[in-house]
Amino acid sequence: MISKLPKWVEYGAFVLALTAGYVNGIGLLGFEHQAISHLSGTATLIGTDIINSHPVKLVHLLSILAGFFGGALLSGFILKDGTLSLGRRYDFLLIVEAALLLGAIYPMSHNAVYGLYLAAAACGIQNGLVTSYSGAIVRTTHITGIITDLGLMFGARLRGQPVNRRKLVLFVVITVGFVLGGTLSAMLFPILQEKAFVLPAMVCVTLAFIYRIYMRRARIHLKAIAPNQARD
């Protein structure tokens, strides 16, 4: 499946991974030090808090999980299935993601935890968007599976099996993008605080705008060649 993806997928995956790493960095550097873009640690803490009887923290963690789930649910509802198909409403979901990130600024700047839930929903949208966008091959809001796949690839290489270079490049690009996003958040958060969410929101809006222009040009091109195909 990866070998059939268009070349520009790597560029989009890098930008989205950079955005997710940046958003997660803000969550970790903020007042709750809360991971936003992935749920493995959150799910573990939910389990421990059930036993340790921390009801307020438990509700908070469940709300993070629910926010992420809600974002992914919206992606699934809008996109309908996981098949890559240009013309679907990826631009709409990117705009919603941007709106959620902007909406998180005010509450987080006042230490209100529901801002984190909005940011988690934004990450859920992005994760659902990219899963659908790439045929459930890659995700850009966390890299656990990608590091696992890279380990499997290099383990197979040690046995003499060839490495799928396209797959390798894609996974390395996502990993580097996510790490650089965290680096960028560490540079800008001390200066901008929660207003640092403006940057990934602008990235989402820009990607949506580029996608809409691309689709408009693609439709014009198809209309132009349709008469010629009919004559043939």
Side-chain angles (χ1 to χ4, degrees):
M1 179 68 75
I2 282 183
S3 62
K4 297 179 181 179
L5 293 176
K7 182 63 180 175
W8 44 262
V9 166
E10 279 94 342
Y11 302 109
F14 174 80
V15 173
L16 290 173
L18 181 76
T19 300
Y22 180 88
V23 169
N24 200 50
I26 294 174
L28 291 170
L29 294 169
F31 68 99
E32 281 286 328
H33 306 293
Q34 173 68 56
I36 299 174
S37 70
H38 53 84
L39 298 177
S40 299
T42 301
T44 300
L45 290 174
I46 287 172
T48 59
D49 285 340
I50 290 173
I51 299 300
N52 294 329
S53 299
H54 295 150
V56 174
K57 186 178 179 183
L58 178 61
V59 170
H60 166 67
L61 294 172
L62 287 171
S63 298
I64 292 288
L65 190 150
F68 194 100
F69 175 82
L73 184 150
L74 179 62
S75 285
F77 177 76
I78 296 297
L79 299 179
K80 297 181 177 61
D81 63 54
T83 304
L84 171 63
S85 179
L86 294 177
R88 289 182 175 165
R89 302 178 67 187
Y90 302 116
D91 51 346
F92 172 77
L93 289 171
L94 286 166
I95 294 297
V96 175
E97 180 180 350
L100 288 168
L101 291 173
L102 292 175
I105 293 175
Y106 178 80
M108 288 187 65
S109 64
H110 290 77
N111 293 345
V113 292
Y114 73 86
L116 292 167
Y117 312 150
L118 296 176
C123 289
I125 286 176
Q126 180 176 312
N127 211 38
L129 171 73
V130 175
T131 297
S132 297
Y133 178 77
S134 59
I137 295 171
V138 297
R139 290 173 173 84
T140 58
T141 63
H142 54 85
I143 60 172
T144 304
I146 290 173
I147 298 299
T148 301
D149 287 341
L150 286 171
L152 291 171
M153 289 172 63
F154 283 105
R157 184 68 184 91
L158 291 175
R159 294 200 312 270
Q161 297 182 5
V163 171
N164 184 326
R165 291 188 178 182
R166 184 74 194 279
K167 190 174 182 180
L168 175 63
V169 169
L170 182 60
F171 288 165
V172 169
V173 160
I174 291 172
T175 302
V176 171
F178 196 89
V179 172
L180 288 179
T183 302
L184 191 60
S185 71
M187 295 170 58
L188 295 181
F189 182 78
I191 303 170
L192 300 175
Q193 295 297 305
E194 285 73 16
K195 292 183 178 66
F197 274 132
V198 171
L199 180 58
M202 290 176 59
V203 170
C204 290
V205 171
T206 301
L207 289 176
F209 182 71
I210 292 171
Y211 175 77
R212 186 164 294 184
I213 291 176
Y214 178 84
M215 288 310 306
R216 183 173 299 176
R217 290 181 177 178
R219 292 189 186 101
I220 293 173
H221 177 70
L222 288 174
K223 289 180 180 179
I225 64 175
N228 295 329
Q229 290 178 339
R231 284 195 295 269
D232 294 341

